[in-house]
């Protein structure tokens, strides 16, 4: 392990939990000890929340590492990673904190584990300020698997704010070589759109229909003649905890690009408004000329940095999350990123010469 302690200001750039998650993953993989201070300084409630603490401790367990300052409300941690070990791990913040944010911090760590890994994550499956679990499986999973990683997910129970109570089992197969670089540069025309509109708890199925119908109307105006199929679901009572609603959309292009759009229902917000929000998000991403949506682009950065060779992806205007992910990747590794284009009117090529990480 490197003797030098890398110091990271958590208030930099996006100033949220992303710096914490990405830095921890790189620290675990590269065996570089880190000290992160001003954690989530840009948030209304700074410091570690229960879901962040759960993510930090599961990385500690994966690496048999040493962690200082890991408690709710802490704005500073120091982490000394050990050896990454595959196996079975559980994380449960005891809140509706997103299971997908637990996945984001832990998944990269075990891609190069010594054996298969199984995670049991509990909390919110469809939560605000995080990817919905359906979005990850429909959009992110097939894209990230182009690098050569493999994982599966079994949703045992759905959980919604404020109760949480969801549970998902993730199984990750280790990569025995290096990750392959990816090149996704030609968006092509949209050839089909699919989606999932859901309700749970006391909410009636008509809410799912309202979201789906509004999304379809909006999408047909932009993509006339394209097949649009949105599943409408009332979650079984024994497979969902709490009341929730939302919609996830996926556009497929002739060049194999996958572009998502999503929205969650809220008290006092009409179902039609939720459906339109998701549809407009999807339309904006497609019309930008990008090959991936804005919520996927930043999640690819860590894998581009680890891959062997040059990866190139056409994105829309780079988000602050994407710039933050690049900042952490270049701070923690020797990967070199370039954003080709002005990032305003024209699409941008996100380019990275990866480090070719190997276990």
């Amino acid at each position: 392990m490197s003797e030098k302690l890398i110091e990271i200001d958590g208030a930099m750039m996006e100033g949220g939990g992303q710096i914490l998650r990405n830095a921890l993953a790189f620290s675990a993989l590269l065996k570089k000890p880190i000290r992160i201070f001003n954690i989530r300084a840009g948030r209304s409630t700074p410091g570690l929340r229960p879901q962040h603490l759960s993510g930090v401790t599961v990385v500690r367990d994966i690496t048999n590492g040493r962690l200082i300052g890991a408690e709710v409300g802490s704005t500073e941690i120091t982490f000394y990673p050990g050896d990454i070990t595959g196996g079975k791990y559980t994380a449960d913040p005891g809140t509706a904190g997103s299971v997908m944010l637990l996945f984001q911090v832990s998944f990269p760590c075990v891609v190069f584990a010594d054996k298969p890994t199984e995670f049991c994550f509990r909390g919110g499956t469809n939560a605000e300020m995080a990817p919905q679990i359906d979005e990850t499986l429909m959009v992110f999973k097939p894209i990230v698997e182009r690098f050569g990683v493999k994982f599966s997910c079994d949703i045992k129970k759905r959980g919604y704010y404020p109760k949480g109570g969801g549970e998902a089992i993730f199984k990750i197969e280790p990569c025995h070589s290096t990750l392959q670089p990816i090149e996704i540069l030609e968006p092509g025309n949209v050839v089909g759109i699919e989606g999932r509109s859901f309700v749970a708890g006391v909410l009636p199925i008509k809410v799912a229909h309202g979201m789906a119908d509004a999304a379809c109307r909006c999408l047909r105006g932009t993509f006339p003649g394209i097949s649009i199929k949105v599943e409408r679901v009332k979650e079984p009572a024994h497979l969902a905890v709490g009341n929730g609603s939302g919609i996830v959309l996926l556009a497929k292009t002739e060049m194999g690009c996958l572009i998502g759009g999503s929205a969650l229902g809220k008290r006092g917000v009409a179902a039609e408004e939720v459906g339109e929000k998701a549809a407009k998000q999807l339309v904006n991403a497609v019309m930008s000329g990008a090959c991936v949506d804005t919520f996927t682009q930043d999640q690819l950065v860590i894998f581009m940095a680890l891959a062997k060779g040059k990866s190139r992806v056409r994105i829309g205007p780079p988000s602050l999350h994407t710039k933050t992910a690049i900042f952490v990747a270049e701070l923690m590794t020797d990967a070199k990123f370039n954003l080709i284009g002005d990032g305003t009117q024209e699409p941008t090529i996100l380019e990275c010469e990866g480090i070719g990480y190997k276990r």
Side-chain angles (χ1 to χ4, degrees):
M1 184 172 68
S2 169
E3 294 296 322
K4 182 181 178 183
L5 188 68
I6 298 175
E7 307 233 350
I8 302 174
D9 185 350
M12 292 286 289
M13 304 188 75
E14 188 266 337
Q18 184 192 38
I19 291 178
L20 177 73
R21 289 188 293 273
N22 287 22
L24 279 169
F26 282 126
S27 172
L29 287 164
L30 302 172
K31 286 187 137 180
K32 293 181 177 181
I34 56 173
R35 171 179 170 259
I36 308 177
F37 57 96
N38 289 333
I39 293 173
R40 299 183 68 249
R43 297 296 182 259
S44 57
T45 307
L48 298 176
R49 305 313 302 152
Q51 73 180 48
H52 304 103
L53 180 60
S54 292
V56 168
T57 53
V58 79
V59 173
R60 177 201 63 194
D61 295 344
I62 291 167
T63 63
N64 301 294
R66 182 161 62 97
L67 191 58
I68 302 169
E71 57 187 43
V72 172
S74 174
T75 58
E76 180 180 320
I77 63 165
T78 304
F79 177 55
Y80 296 89
D83 293 327
I84 292 173
T85 305
K88 293 188 176 183
Y89 300 94
T90 298
D92 183 359
T95 69
S98 171
V99 300
M100 298 320 305
L101 296 185
L102 294 174
F103 176 76
Q104 279 188 9
V105 68
S106 55
F107 173 49
C109 300
V110 298
V111 164
F112 298 95
D114 56 336
K115 58 186 176 183
T117 302
E118 180 177 306
F119 291 121
C120 175
F121 291 148
R122 301 188 179 101
T125 54
N126 301 74
E128 290 280 6
M129 306 298 291
Q132 294 192 48
I133 195 166
D134 311 271
E135 200 168 6
T136 294
L137 299 179
M138 292 166 62
V139 183
F140 173 75
K141 183 178 186 289
I143 297 175
V144 79
E145 287 186 341
R146 297 188 188 191
F147 289 100
V149 303
K150 298 290 182 185
F151 77 91
S152 64
C153 175
D154 182 9
I155 304 171
K156 297 295 186 182
K157 188 173 288 189
R158 302 234 174 203
Y160 306 100
Y161 180 84
K163 293 183 178 181
E167 181 178 309
I169 306 295
F170 294 89
K171 295 182 179 180
I172 298 95
E173 291 295 323
C175 177
H176 299 293
S177 159
T178 55
L179 298 185
Q180 300 302 306
I182 64 171
E183 186 163 284
I184 311 175
L185 298 176
E186 297 297 332
N189 296 317
V190 172
V191 294
I193 298 173
E194 59 189 61
R196 185 178 193 272
S197 180
F198 65 88
V199 293
V202 300
L203 297 176
I205 188 66
K206 71 177 184 180
V207 174
H209 286 298
M211 292 185 293
D213 290 344
C216 289
R217 284 194 298 270
C218 182
L219 292 168
R220 287 193 186 102
T222 306
F223 306 106
I226 298 299
S227 171
I228 302 173
K229 297 178 181 179
V230 180
E231 181 184 17
R232 295 106 189 279
V233 180
K234 168 75 174 181
E235 303 288 6
H238 66 289
L239 297 179
V241 178
N243 305 315
S245 65
I247 183 169
V248 176
L249 302 169
L250 167 66
K252 298 180 178 180
T253 79
E254 61 190 346
M255 301 302 292
C257 294
L258 304 174
I259 299 172
S262 66
L264 285 172
K266 290 183 180 179
R267 186 186 296 274
V269 179
E272 291 75 16
E273 189 176 335
V274 178
E276 287 176 4
K277 180 180 178 181
K280 287 177 180 177
Q281 192 182 97
L282 178 64
V283 168
N284 290 340
V286 171
M287 293 303 164
S288 75
C291 293
V292 297
D293 58 73
T294 186
F295 298 107
T296 300
Q297 61 179 244
D298 65 273
Q299 296 181 66
L300 299 179
V301 167
I302 191 168
F303 300 97
M304 295 173 77
L306 295 171
K308 183 178 182 180
K310 184 177 289 185
S311 293
R312 302 173 76 215
V313 179
R314 183 176 294 273
I315 64 174
S319 66
L320 184 56
H321 270 90
T322 300
K323 293 177 181 178
T324 302
I326 292 170
F327 166 77
V328 175
E330 292 189 330
L331 177 68
M332 297 289 296
T333 77
D334 291 327
K336 301 299 180 187
F337 284 83
N338 286 307
L339 287 168
I340 304 170
D342 64 6
T344 54
Q345 299 301 316
E346 296 299 321
T348 302
I349 304 297
L350 175 60
E351 182 179 271
C352 174
E353 188 68 42
I355 63 174
Y357 178 84
K358 211 171 184 181
R359 176 177 171 82

